[in-house]
Amino acid sequence: MTDTEQFEAFMKAYQNMVFTTAVRLLANEAEAEDVSQEVFLKAYERYAELKSSPTVGGWLKTVTRNLCLNHLTRYRARWRFFSEMAPDREDEDSMPEWAAPDTHEQQVATGDHRQLLEGVLQKLPSGQRVPLVLYHFEELSYEEIAAKLRVSLSKVKTDIHRGREALRRKLKLKLAGEEEWGGLDGAESPCLT
Amino acid sequence: MNERYEKELEQLIEREARKLPELRAPETLVHRVMLAVHAKERQPWWQRPWLTWPRSAQWVSVVLSGATVAALVYFGAGAWQAAGMGSPLGKIAQWFSSLAPIWEWLVTVANAIALVLQKGAQQYLLIALGIAGSMYLLCVATGTACYRLAYNRR
């Protein structure tokens, strides 16, 4: 197997992971594909080191994350003001495709919910979606997120809380002790301290 | 109570996040990357970024660049003196000293403006800033209205 063929196999093994991270951060499949291409071209330049590295997955995730955040800063800053004022879209078109589908029965049982969750996540304003994805999917701490996004710790916590609330409301999720909170469906949550 | 609520909400979203599988990358991604990789491979090494050059070529280029700069400085200074133009450093100092009146003029103008602002023009300055701020907000409001109209927002 030549180096190029090896790299192609390497790419096939990691492309879903890289693309998923990019889509969740950017909420745009075309931009996520562009960023994924950039990530793999960077990986190709360092392939000699990466192919034998046990931390290659982490490296790819970090590069994807950084490129996505750069992309958001560079190309979307000028639209942030308008886009964050705009209300959420209610249309459910252009839902993403799934990797490694389960059996047909499982897919029917869980597919709709997953699709809804992914769709709701992608429709969150970027100010809530990005820190939420970094916390729950990329497993960064609040402090790391604040440092990465160059915002205060309290803003990160507030944005993540709002994102979680939006997900909970739109997915009609119930908390374990829901009754104690007085039935929060559609109501405001207790204020953060 | 709020902390408990927040903790439960965090755990709930965490569970939901864990359920989400990876998305499937588009079929075109591998093809696009491989095309770019092949295009890069076809480039000769000297057209690629310097950091990716072979180590020996990097060393040779550093030595050649250093030697070129040193030769330019040495022979340039020699030629300068041979032409009877004196010391090059003295000439540069002379050029800068000829710019001194312009610098002094700029400092005088800046001081004069500061003095005028301190003495009596503060209220005019505030009025001008107020007008500029109002116009900026008007532009933002118009832009927002146009954006919402164009994209049929509520």
Side-chain angles (χ1 to χ4, degrees):
Chain A
M1 213 193 246
T2 64
D3 259 7
T4 313
E5 286 168 342
Q6 275 181 13
F7 181 72
E8 195 170 338
F10 162 84
M11 227 188 98
K12 282 178 179 163
Y14 287 104
Q15 62 172 348
N16 288 343
M17 182 194 80
V18 168
F19 180 72
T20 303
T21 303
V23 165
R24 287 184 183 146
L25 283 170
L26 299 173
N28 180 307
E29 291 193 33
E31 289 174 12
E33 192 176 349
D34 289 344
V35 167
S36 303
Q37 177 177 348
E38 212 177 321
V39 171
F40 282 113
L41 287 176
K42 280 186 185 296
Y44 183 74
E45 282 167 15
R46 303 184 58 181
Y47 186 55
E49 302 163 48
L50 290 176
K51 64 181 171 189
S52 55
S53 167
T55 58
V56 64
W59 186 88
L60 284 169
K61 275 208 156 208
T62 306
V63 172
T64 309
R65 228 162 29 218
N66 292 342
L67 288 179
C68 287
L69 295 181
N70 286 349
H71 182 91
L72 286 168
T73 312
R74 203 178 303 155
Y75 297 106
R76 295 206 183 158
R78 73 190 83 164
W79 295 110
R80 189 180 303 155
F81 180 78
F82 296 114
S83 63
E84 291 200 349
M85 283 202 320
D88 295 349
R89 283 168 293 163
E90 294 300 331
D91 52 352
E92 298 294 328
D93 55 351
S94 70
M95 287 295 182
E97 239 184 312
W98 306 100
D102 302 323
T103 62
H104 179 68
E105 291 76 17
Q106 284 174 314
Q107 203 174 5
V108 169
T110 59
D112 285 350
H113 182 73
R114 287 172 178 178
Q115 199 170 28
L116 184 62
L117 174 52
E118 197 78 50
V120 170
L121 190 63
Q122 290 194 16
K123 286 184 175 67
L124 284 179
S126 58
Q128 292 171 16
R129 186 189 66 254
V130 172
L132 189 83
V133 168
L134 291 176
Y135 187 85
H136 284 293
F137 293 89
E138 301 300 310
E139 292 165 4
L140 263 59
S141 67
Y142 290 125
E143 288 78 12
E144 287 170 322
I145 297 169
K148 244 185 197 314
L149 301 180
R150 292 182 198 149
V151 293
S152 67
L153 190 59
S154 58
K155 176 161 171 50
V156 167
K157 287 183 178 175
T158 307
D159 287 343
I160 291 179
H161 174 77
R162 287 181 181 158
R164 284 173 185 152
E165 276 298 339
L167 283 184
R168 190 187 70 80
R169 270 199 309 274
K170 290 184 179 174
L171 296 170
K172 297 185 171 58
L173 301 171
K174 287 194 187 298
L175 290 164
E178 184 107 2
E179 289 72 28
E180 289 176 47
W181 317 121
L184 289 166
D185 246 5
E188 288 301 308
S189 67
C191 292
L192 277 175
T193 47
Chain B
M1 175 175 161
N2 288 344
E3 273 178 25
R4 204 178 128 202
Y5 173 83
E6 187 58 30
K7 197 76 199 160
E8 286 198 16
L9 182 61
E10 180 183 335
Q11 286 167 354
L12 176 72
I13 300 301
E14 188 67 28
R15 279 196 301 275
E16 292 296 319
R18 294 275 158 259
K19 286 182 200 166
L20 275 185
E22 284 182 345
L23 303 175
R24 183 184 296 153
E27 300 292 332
T28 49
L29 180 59
V30 174
H31 184 65
R32 278 177 59 173
V33 174
M34 293 320 291
L35 273 180
V37 163
H38 289 308
K40 267 180 186 276
E41 276 186 340
R42 278 195 297 273
Q43 277 184 327
W45 62 268
W46 44 271
Q47 281 185 1
R48 296 180 196 172
W50 185 84
L51 288 173
T52 62
W53 283 13
R55 190 71 68 193
S56 54
Q58 285 180 337
W59 279 114
V60 170
S61 72
V62 166
V63 170
L64 278 179
S65 304
T68 307
V69 171
L72 277 175
V73 170
Y74 181 76
F75 291 113
W80 191 284
Q81 281 179 334
M85 295 168 80
S87 159
L89 284 177
K91 196 76 181 171
I92 290 168
Q94 203 180 334
W95 283 342
F96 275 104
S97 66
S98 67
L99 293 177
I102 297 173
W103 174 248
E104 281 166 18
W105 180 79
L106 282 173
V107 170
T108 309
V109 169
N111 285 339
I113 291 171
L115 200 64
V116 168
L117 289 178
Q118 278 172 0
K119 288 293 175 192
Q122 274 176 346
Q123 78 183 71
Y124 295 111
L125 183 69
L126 287 175
I127 291 169
L129 282 175
I131 291 172
S134 309
M135 289 176 77
Y136 175 75
L137 289 174
L138 189 68
C139 287
V140 169
T142 311
T144 307
C146 290
Y147 175 82
R148 289 188 171 207
L149 197 66
Y151 289 94
N152 197 23
R153 302 290 187 192
R154 269 190 279 128

